[in-house]
Amino acid sequence: MPDAAAHLPFFYGSISRAEAEEHLKLAGMADGLFLLRQCLRSLGGYVLSLVYDLRFHHYPIERQLNGTYAIAGGKPHCGPAELCEFYSKDADGLPCPLRKPCNRPSGMEPQPGVFDSLRNSMVRDYVRQTWKLEGDALEQAVISQAPQVEKLIATTAHERMPWYHSSISREEAEHKLYSGSQHDGKFLLRPRKEQGTYALSLIYGKTVYHYLINQDKSGKYCIPEGTKFDTLWQLVEYLKLKADGLIYCLKEICPNASASIAAVTAAPTLPVHPSTPRRNDTLNSDGYTPEPACLSKSQGEKSRVLPMDTSVYESPYSDPEELKDKKLFLKRENLMIDEVELGSGNFGCVRKGVYKMRKKQIDVAIKVLKSTNEKAEKEEMMKEAQIMHQLDNPYIVRIIGVCKAEALMLVMEMAIAGPLNKFLAAKKEEVPVSNVVELMHQVAMGMKYLEEKNFVHRDLAARNVLLVNQHYAKISDFGLSKALGADDSYYTARSAGKWPLKWYAPECINYRKFSSRSDVWSYGVTMWEALTYGQKPYKKMKGPEVIKFIEEGKRMDCPPECPPDIYTLMRDCWIYKWEDRPSFSDVEQRVRIYYYSLASKAEEVSEAPQAEEATST
Ligand code: ADP
Ligand code: MG
């Protein structure tokens, strides 16, 4: 899982005790100065390093089985941030409360731990193999779906662990454990012949013991009668801390030379994604059979379709065969137009349809210009088409082409679940905040792409974010968009038009100047709309009242369900001077970090009852 502390400025990641002390020394050694680091011993745990009376105090924070975090003997908390918040108000056993965070120096990222880098390479390999993605499509999938993909592959992480011996017999295991040091607690883990079962071999008092590890119906691993775990590596980590029925707890790894952690670049054997047809060529030949463990794992994820599973993640022209036919103008005979209306506007309406390509037929949305429309409107639609034609990103509605027939028609990819504001208003109960943040992260990725390509959108709003499904958003409506000149950072409109003032930054209104930074302002308003589940911004205020409100330095309040970090980001999007606002590159990173931290928490919440039940058996 992404680290639940990744977004905390005083979290240093995987640094040693000596390094922690060095940082605290540099920061002045005041009483209550503290930092947080990854625990090198227990997976998912942390260490709180605190200064008091010019001395260092280090407190391990353990991740409990029910997903909460606690300092030994202290109260449990739902996350590392909440734990630190608690101890800043109440020393509760520490020599003093946490008073001053020792933040990382600017530009310093948390140090990744061994498992972090292993995890990153596994996610990338999994995405590459499962969805056959390369280049940008691969990178975007890794960034946007890491939390979900990690859940899918957690089941195979043990194969990269030094204690895992993929193909040894019981006799060979004994031989390995009896050779060299015979310390109590030296152990290894190996698969058994019966599919889906494993054995844990452990030495104690110069005798080797073998424990059977089974999987229950839901795919959880356990030693019969013992605690249940989602993954083998969690089981091992737990048994390192607690014997839990074994003759002794696991102490020393009996390493497998070939499966060392250092081998992070080797292609892992990976489970098959439930919603993707199994492709034999993605599996390694070393006998790994994914069915029982991995498919039955992640029950909650089974029904979840990832953006990469849909037909609109990559362009329909990403197939070289189809690319041969790629032209801006489409033949009318390949286009079937349905009666169903998806939406409408001044220009006319948007209809459902199907477009026939060389090898496949795709669902499309067709913007049909009213036949009564003037030349100017036709030109506008052609401009919109020209802009869209230059863009290709999973988080942007792609154009398939333009068709000139009974009317001028702009043919686009279909985003069937419709505008974000309407979707959220209708499904408030079913969409948790973490889901809203996930969608807004995707919007940020699409906008970051536009910023890099030097395009300004000029109409970013929740009504123009369309959903493919509950977990997949695309930016649409490029009717007002402009490509900036290579050396320009803004576009100046000749005159003001019918503008969405409530979404516009002050410099757009005052100087008609549009840049990626003014799109950032609109992103803030869109974020507000999303976190209020589709409410109208600035209530009943009229355009001029909104302008006055903003000029007076006022801003919209934090929506009731909005996390403070996200509201802080919104406020940064609404910084008056455009030079001082964050870029989309900053915004995307901030939303990403927050969304990853929520994704790991969501997992804890859903797992908590099960884990508690397991503890009592
Ligand atoms: P306007 O310029 O009038 O705002 P839009 O491009 O935003 O036009 O489209 C109007 C409506 O049509 C949208 O709100 C949406 O309901 C529907 N629509 C537009 N494009 C698509 C699409 N690609 N997939 C599904 N629905 C769409
Ligand atoms: Mg629109």
Side-chain angles (χ1 to χ4, degrees), residues 303-317:
S303 53
R304 169 95 174 251
V305 175
L306 301 182
M308 300 85 84
D309 294 320
T310 69
S311 58
V312 288
Y313 183 78
E314 280 195 289
S315 160
Y317 295 113

Side-chain angles (χ1 to χ4, degrees), residues 62-261:
E62 285 192 358
R63 186 173 164 182
Q64 320 282 306
L65 282 171
N66 64 5
T68 60
Y69 295 82
I71 292 180
K75 293 191 183 80
H77 300 275
C78 66
E82 290 79 358
L83 182 142
C84 292
E85 174 79 27
F86 171 82
Y87 284 102
S88 68
K89 295 192 183 111
D90 185 347
D92 200 37
L94 304 184
C96 69
L98 309 182
R99 290 207 183 105
K100 186 170 179 271
C102 170
N103 290 343
R104 293 189 309 273
S106 68
M108 181 192 201
E109 291 295 315
Q111 175 73 33
V114 175
F115 188 71
D116 295 317
S117 45
L118 185 66
R119 198 172 60 192
N120 291 344
S121 80
M122 285 178 82
V123 167
R124 177 165 274 96
D125 288 343
Y126 183 86
V127 172
R128 180 185 284 128
Q129 292 177 19
T130 309
W131 291 279
K132 301 274 180 252
L133 298 174
E134 286 298 338
D136 282 349
L138 171 65
E139 295 315 315
Q140 301 258 305
V142 168
I143 294 170
S144 69
Q145 300 314 128
Q148 291 75 34
V149 175
E150 279 174 23
K151 278 185 201 164
L152 288 166
I153 60 180
T155 44
T156 52
H158 60 271
E159 295 177 11
R160 303 292 199 89
M161 301 296 173
W163 40 254
Y164 186 72
H165 297 243
S166 60
S167 55
I168 60 169
S169 65
R170 180 187 178 103
E171 292 69 35
E172 284 167 312
E174 290 188 355
H175 178 74
K176 278 185 190 266
L177 288 163
Y178 284 130
S179 43
S181 75
Q182 295 180 15
H183 295 144
D184 291 345
K186 188 170 149 192
F187 74 99
L188 60 83
L189 202 135
R190 56 191 167 86
R192 296 173 73 245
K193 279 204 197 72
E194 286 88 326
Q195 218 177 55
T197 71
Y198 298 83
L200 177 67
S201 305
L202 165 69
I203 193 162
Y204 179 75
K206 311 234 181 284
T207 305
V208 171
Y209 296 79
H210 301 276
Y211 295 89
L212 169 69
I213 301 172
N214 268 329
Q215 281 181 269
D216 69 6
K217 284 195 208 80
S218 68
K220 287 191 181 284
Y221 297 94
C222 68
I223 291 175
E225 308 299 311
T227 310
K228 295 182 176 183
F229 298 89
D230 282 335
T231 66
L232 283 172
W233 57 268
Q234 283 168 319
L235 176 141
V236 166
E237 290 304 319
Y238 181 71
L239 294 173
K240 278 186 191 169
L241 303 172
K242 205 171 161 185
D244 198 39
L246 304 184
I247 188 139
Y248 200 66
C249 61
L250 309 182
K251 286 267 182 233
E252 187 184 309
I253 294 169
C254 178
N256 165 13
S258 62
S260 81
I261 288 262

Side-chain angles (χ1 to χ4, degrees), residues 406-467:
E406 64 270 31
L408 182 60
M409 294 176 278
L410 196 152
V411 182
M412 297 169 275
E413 283 178 339
M414 165 83 98
I416 191 72
L420 180 65
N421 55 340
K422 286 193 187 157
F423 185 92
L424 291 177
K427 304 229 171 182
K428 187 167 185 333
E429 305 309 320
E430 295 153 52
V431 186
V433 166
S434 57
N435 192 163
V436 177
V437 174
E438 175 185 27
L439 294 168
M440 285 309 297
H441 174 245
Q442 296 174 348
V443 175
M445 288 187 64
M447 290 308 297
K448 182 181 167 187
Y449 169 83
L450 279 188
E451 177 178 84
E452 281 164 3
K453 299 260 306 180
N454 224 11
F455 282 78
V456 285
H457 187 285
R458 299 180 68 222
D459 199 5
L460 180 58
R463 63 180 174 276
N464 289 329
V465 171
L466 302 182
L467 299 188

Side-chain angles (χ1 to χ4, degrees), residues 326-544:
K326 187 177 177 185
K327 288 189 187 76
L328 183 58
F329 289 97
L330 308 176
K331 288 198 189 114
R332 179 64 181 86
E333 70 234 40
N334 291 333
L335 188 63
M336 281 151 275
I337 308 172
D338 211 292
E339 284 302 306
V340 181
E341 245 184 56
L342 295 166
S344 61
N346 288 333
F347 61 89
C349 66
V350 177
R351 289 235 146 103
K352 215 171 152 201
V354 174
Y355 179 65
K356 207 164 141 274
M357 299 183 72
R358 270 192 195 209
K359 289 161 67 182
K360 60 192 169 208
Q361 298 202 346
I362 56 170
D363 288 332
V364 291
I366 309 160
K367 210 171 189 174
V368 186
L369 202 64
K370 268 189 265 178
S371 49
T372 52
N373 272 334
E374 303 289 319
K375 198 168 156 236
E377 266 115 13
K378 286 189 182 152
E379 275 168 15
E380 263 172 44
M381 190 184 250
M382 283 312 297
K383 275 190 197 154
E384 184 176 351
Q386 294 288 2
I387 297 267
M388 291 179 88
H389 199 61
Q390 299 171 66
L391 306 172
D392 178 8
N393 183 274
Y395 303 104
I396 290 178
V397 171
R398 295 185 188 88
I399 188 172
I400 311 299
V402 178
C403 187
K404 271 183 175 165
E406 64 270 31
L408 182 60
M409 294 176 278
L410 196 152
V411 182
M412 297 169 275
E413 283 178 339
M414 165 83 98
I416 191 72
L420 180 65
N421 55 340
K422 286 193 187 157
F423 185 92
L424 291 177
K427 304 229 171 182
K428 187 167 185 333
E429 305 309 320
E430 295 153 52
V431 186
V433 166
S434 57
N435 192 163
V436 177
V437 174
E438 175 185 27
L439 294 168
M440 285 309 297
H441 174 245
Q442 296 174 348
V443 175
M445 288 187 64
M447 290 308 297
K448 182 181 167 187
Y449 169 83
L450 279 188
E451 177 178 84
E452 281 164 3
K453 299 260 306 180
N454 224 11
F455 282 78
V456 285
H457 187 285
R458 299 180 68 222
D459 199 5
L460 180 58
R463 63 180 174 276
N464 289 329
V465 171
L466 302 182
L467 299 188
V468 176
N469 61 45
Q470 189 176 331
H471 295 282
Y472 189 6
K474 281 178 180 263
I475 298 161
S476 79
D477 197 348
F478 290 81
L480 287 170
S481 305
K482 301 282 172 205
L484 300 178
D487 301 325
D488 297 337
S489 61
Y490 59 86
Y491 159 82
T492 313
R494 262 189 237 129
S495 58
K498 252 179 90 185
W499 282 352
L501 293 179
K502 289 184 175 180
W503 282 263
Y504 273 4
E507 71 276 11
C508 306
I509 295 161
N510 297 333
Y511 307 105
R512 305 188 310 276
K513 262 177 150 176
F514 294 85
S515 63
S516 291
R517 302 298 168 107
S518 55
D519 279 345
V520 164
W521 181 290
S522 315
Y523 178 87
V525 182
T526 308
M527 184 76 116
W528 187 94
E529 294 180 275
L531 280 146
T532 56
Y533 290 84
Q535 283 188 28
K536 295 205 165 67
Y538 304 99
K539 293 210 185 87
K540 292 201 179 84
M541 282 187 197
K542 294 256 158 21

